Amino acid sequence: DMRGSRRHARAVWPRQVAMWLTWTLSGRSFGWVAGTFGSWHSATVRHAVKTVRTRMEIEKETREQITVLRNKLMDCIPCKKTI
């Protein structure tokens, strides 16, 4: 559940990646991104962005997977119109 408040480990990393992607692709503020995820605090989004950046710097496979996902989203014309 990407918008829920649960902190189960299996949901935390995907939610952090989703927050990073939303922030990166939208160019919006941490607060705006937080609101799209169910009124999370902007500090939560800031932490997610930092965590994803760090893991992408350290883990080559993570960086490659997220880059592929980001590129696929960027190629999606409807996404460009709504973000």
Side-chain angles (χ1 to χ4, degrees):
D1 182 12
M2 291 296 174
R3 296 187 65 186
S5 61
R6 293 180 182 230
R7 294 187 178 147
H8 295 293
R10 67 178 186 204
V12 171
W13 174 244
R15 185 183 298 124
Q16 288 177 330
V17 172
M19 287 179 175
W20 181 86
L21 286 166
T22 303
W23 178 76
T24 301
L25 296 174
S26 71
R28 301 285 191 116
S29 69
F30 291 136
W32 183 87
V33 174
T36 65
F37 282 85
S39 298
W40 288 77
H41 296 284
S42 61
T44 302
V45 179
R46 190 176 305 114
H47 174 74
V49 168
K50 181 180 177 183
T51 299
V52 171
R53 282 181 175 166
T54 300
R55 283 187 62 174
M56 287 177 67
E57 289 173 5
I58 295 169
E59 302 170 11
K60 180 182 176 184
E61 185 176 347
T62 297
R63 179 175 55 253
E64 291 171 350
Q65 290 173 344
I66 292 175
T67 299
V68 167
L69 181 58
R70 182 177 182 267
N71 290 341
K72 285 182 179 183
L73 289 170
M74 288 177 61
D75 289 341
C76 177
I77 293 172
C79 291
K80 289 180 183 177
K81 292 180 181 178
T82 59
I83 292 181

